[in-house]
């Protein structure tokens, strides 16, 4: 979506946003009707004040004065009720819209390819889903309907003024062109300023999110002063963006206030001059009319000032909407048009001439072909960057391949429904991610089909139960954000249990024991033996024990397979790649 910077208003974007009010059209119409009635009621009080002065106070005729006071009270009550309904339901409508929009945005983002998240700052995405969408709500609560109400109020007031005295109306309109021009210039300037504000808010959120997440690195490498200076610079830019909006407001509103005061002065002056020039027995303009026009001129100019202010709110919401819709319009979904349901897989896997690249023209996998039979445990070894982890990312369809084909049980991976395919593949990563929740919920991931008893039995079977019961509250122990209350080895054990209870047809272990202590490693090795039994398993190998037990070892280098065979077969190859790797790396582990 093109940026709206510099344009006072983007009507197509506004229409798109209004489409989200369709499920709540009755509320929308009620709020609109309230806005109209508020505009009509606006002239009631000034007119009744005129009647009080001209028909009762000046001539000292108080018959019926109580009735006028009663009418004033009724108008006041009606105005209060209308304002109450208007404010409540306008805000209610805004919250309903952003709830629906936020759900749609979050659902859309969950379907993105991993490649999208590789290139997008987390802080900016959080800003879009939380701060920007909250700003959109103000379009309905403080922007759109308030502007409509004020515009209608101005039309009604102006029409009534013209009906009451066209001469005084012309006086009130003398400064109107100047105010309208100033408002237009103000709106355009504020549009650009608010675009900059939202950009700086995103930058600030991204910076803070990354530094808080990586605070350990900041402190380990004594980066506090450097990060402080960077934060100060970003924060200054954020402040300057807001100061610019304050500057524009500080210019516009005093000008608008001065114009209103000049208009009132002219009405009083001309009204008095007209009366001085009239005959002694008559008045060209009644005193009550002059007072009424003073009040009506305020009701004419005050909405104009408010419209400029509310238009700022509207524009800020539109800027936020533009950013949110830019994500909604992003096409980065994995193709999910398969009709096969992977209720249970045998686990046969075949890569046929697969090419893949994260960046255009930089192949990570080159013409890759291999087979994994059902129930086999296959280890993949190679230097860093050889393409080992890429294979498992492609198998789970987190990325789309450039060319070739990936077959699972003799059917293309694309032929399966994406959710059903991933439900049959469990992955244990080297860097385990745990949510700020209980151990139980981190294992089941809120799956209603997995009970606590199922988790306990599985934990007992793979030898994890005793470790969990040593923690406060056992399975209901809250591990806090990213599992910081657990060691890396404990997090790995939780990840193994999470994979096991999902009962996958295919199990993937991505260097799952590379950074754990000896005790945890033994538990993980025992768990590995249990959960890999009878199911197809692919292991990104790091430890020697895993490699020796594998039915087959795939050796990779620079995105290509250089050797395939069992541990013993590969060791017999003179000057073989695996043999050299074993002697340099794995044999050292065995000696240690």
């Amino acid at each position: 979506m093109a940026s709206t910077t510099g344009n006072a208003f983007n009507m197509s974007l506004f229409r798109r946003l209004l489409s989200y009010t369709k499920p709540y059209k009755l509320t929308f119409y009620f709020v609109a009707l309230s806005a109209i009635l508020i505009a009509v009621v606006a002239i009631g009080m000034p007119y009744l004040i005129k009647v009080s002065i001209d028909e009762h106070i000046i001539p000292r005729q108080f018959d019926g004065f109580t009735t006028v006071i009663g009418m004033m009270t009724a108008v006041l009550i009606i105005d209060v009720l209308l304002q109450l309904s208007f404010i409540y339901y306008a805000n209610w409508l805004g919250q309903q819209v952003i709830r629906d929009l936020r759900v749609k945005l979050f659902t859309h983002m969950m379907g993105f390819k991993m490649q999208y998240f590789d290139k997008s700052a987390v802080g900016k995405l959080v800003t879009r889903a939380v701060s920007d969408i909250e700003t959109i709500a103000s379009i309905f609560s403080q922007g759109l309907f308030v502007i409509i109400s004020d515009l209608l109020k101005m039309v009604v007031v102006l029409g009534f003024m013209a009906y009451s005295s066209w001469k005084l109306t012309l006086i009130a309109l003398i400064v109107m062109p100047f105010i309208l021009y100033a408002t237009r210039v103000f709106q355009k300037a504020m549009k650009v300023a608010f675009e900059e504000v939202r950009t700086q808010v995103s930058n600030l959120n991204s910076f803070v999110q990354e530094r808080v997440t990586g605070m350990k690195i900041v402190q380990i490498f004594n980066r506090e002063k450097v990060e402080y200076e960077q934060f100060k610079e970003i924060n200054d830019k954020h402040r300057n963006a807001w100061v610019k909006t304050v500057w524009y407001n500080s210019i516009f509103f005093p000008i608008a206030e001065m114009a209103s005061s000049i208009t009132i002065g002219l009405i009083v002056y001309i009204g008095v001059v007209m009366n001085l020039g009239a005959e002694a027995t008559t008045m060209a303009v009644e005193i009550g009319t002059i007072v009424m026009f003073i009040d009506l001129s305020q009701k004419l100019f005050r909405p104009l000032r408010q419209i400029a202010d509310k238009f700022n709110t509207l524009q800020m919401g539109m800027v936020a909407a533009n950013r949110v819709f830019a994500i909604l319009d992003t096409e980065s979904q994995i193709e999910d048009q398969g009709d096969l349901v992977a209720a249970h897989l045998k686990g046969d896997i075949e890569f046929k001439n697969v090419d893949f690249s994260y960046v255009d023209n930089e192949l990570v996998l080159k013409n890759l072909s291999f087979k994994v039979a059902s129930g086999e445990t296959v280890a993949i070894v190679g230097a860093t960057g050889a393409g080992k982890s890429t294979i498992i990312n492609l198998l789970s369809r987190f990325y789309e391949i450039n060319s070739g084909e990936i077959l699972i049980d003799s059917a293309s991976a694309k032929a399966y429904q994406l959710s059903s395919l991933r439900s049959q593949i469990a992955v244990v990563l080297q860097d385990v991610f745990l949510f700020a929740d209980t151990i139980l919920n981190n294992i089941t991931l809120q799956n209603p089909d997995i009970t606590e008893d199922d988790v306990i039995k599985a934990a007992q079977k793979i030898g994890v139960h005793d470790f969990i019961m040593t923690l406060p509250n056992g399975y209901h122990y809250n591990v806090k954000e990213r599992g910081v209350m657990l060691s890396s080895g404990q997090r790995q054990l939780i990840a193994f249990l999470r994979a096991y209870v999902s009962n996958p047809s295919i199990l993937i272990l991505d260097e799952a024991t590379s950074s754990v202590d000896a005790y945890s490693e033994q538990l993980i090795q025992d768990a590995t033996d249990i959960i890999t039994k009878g199911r197809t398993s692919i292991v990104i190998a790091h430890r020697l024990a895993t490699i020796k037990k594998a039915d087959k070892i795939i050796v990779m280098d620079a995105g290509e397979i250089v050797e395939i065979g069992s541990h013993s077969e590969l060791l017999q190859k003179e000057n073989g790649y695996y043999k050299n790797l074993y002697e340099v790396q794995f044999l050292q582990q065995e000696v240690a």
Side-chain angles (χ1 to χ4, degrees), residues 115 119 357-364 402:
Q115 198 164 9
K119 299 177 179 179
S357 61
Y358 293 103
V359 181
D360 292 343
N361 302 319
E362 295 183 17
L363 288 178
V364 176
N402 295 13

Side-chain angles (χ1 to χ4, degrees), residues 212-453:
V212 170
T213 303
M215 188 57 68
K216 182 179 290 186
I217 299 298
V218 172
Q219 294 183 356
I220 286 174
F221 290 95
N222 196 28
R223 295 276 300 177
E224 291 92 341
K225 185 175 182 180
V226 175
E227 299 300 339
Y228 166 77
E229 293 298 333
Q230 291 185 15
F231 176 78
K232 187 177 178 182
E233 181 180 349
I234 293 173
N235 199 36
D236 285 345
K237 290 181 180 179
H238 177 262
R239 178 205 59 194
N240 292 339
W242 272 109
V243 167
K244 188 179 291 185
T245 68
V246 174
W247 168 246
Y248 292 144
N249 278 295
S250 66
I251 295 175
F252 174 76
F253 287 103
I255 291 176
E257 190 67 33
M258 181 178 64
S260 176
S261 299
I262 291 173
T263 301
I264 293 173
L266 288 174
I267 289 173
V268 173
Y269 177 75
I270 299 300
V272 171
V273 170
M274 290 171 65
N275 283 336
L276 290 175
E279 296 180 7
T281 56
T282 62
M283 295 182 67
V285 182
E286 294 178 321
I287 301 299
T289 301
I290 295 175
V291 173
M292 180 181 73
F293 263 74
I294 292 173
D295 194 359
L296 289 176
S297 67
Q298 289 293 296
K299 291 184 179 294
L300 183 65
F301 283 96
R302 188 181 301 117
L304 188 60
R305 295 196 301 272
Q306 290 179 348
I307 285 173
D309 188 33
K310 299 307 178 185
F311 203 88
N312 293 344
T313 301
L314 182 62
Q315 285 188 138
M316 204 160 187
M318 293 294 286
V319 169
N322 187 55
R323 293 173 179 273
V324 170
F325 286 136
I327 296 180
L328 286 173
D329 291 339
T330 299
E331 296 296 334
S332 185
Q333 276 73 22
I334 293 290
E335 180 183 333
D336 187 14
Q337 298 179 348
D339 53 9
L340 292 181
V341 178
H344 183 73
L345 298 172
K346 290 189 299 179
D348 292 320
I349 300 170
E350 182 178 4
F351 275 58
K352 296 177 66 175
N353 309 114
V354 172
D355 285 347
F356 173 76
S357 61
Y358 293 103
V359 181
D360 292 343
N361 302 319
E362 295 183 17
L363 288 178
V364 176
L365 299 181
K366 307 166 187 175
N367 198 33
L368 191 72
S369 298
F370 66 88
K371 293 182 180 180
V372 180
S374 174
E376 269 192 330
T377 296
V378 174
I380 304 177
V381 301
T384 301
K388 305 185 297 296
S389 296
T390 299
I391 290 176
I392 64 174
N393 285 332
L394 296 181
L395 187 61
S396 299
R397 294 201 65 208
F398 293 131
Y399 298 85
E400 297 281 24
I401 60 177
N402 295 13
S403 62
E405 193 172 19
I406 299 175
L407 302 177
I408 301 176
D409 286 0
S410 302
S412 171
K414 292 183 178 181
Y416 292 97
Q417 293 178 3
L418 190 59
S419 60
S420 70
L421 174 64
R422 289 178 177 171
S423 71
Q424 292 299 307
I425 301 174
V427 182
V428 179
L429 298 171
Q430 177 181 358
D431 183 18
V432 178
F433 185 93
L434 297 180
F435 295 96
D437 206 336
T438 64
I439 286 179
L440 179 64
N441 288 338
N442 269 290
I443 293 169
T444 64
L445 297 178
Q446 309 288 349
N447 186 341
D449 296 330
I450 304 175
T451 66
E452 185 172 351
D453 287 339

Side-chain angles (χ1 to χ4, degrees), residues 175-188:
V175 297
M176 186 66 75
F178 174 73
I179 291 296
L180 291 175
Y181 175 76
T183 301
R184 181 67 174 173
V185 173
F186 175 67
Q187 289 168 354
K188 287 185 175 182

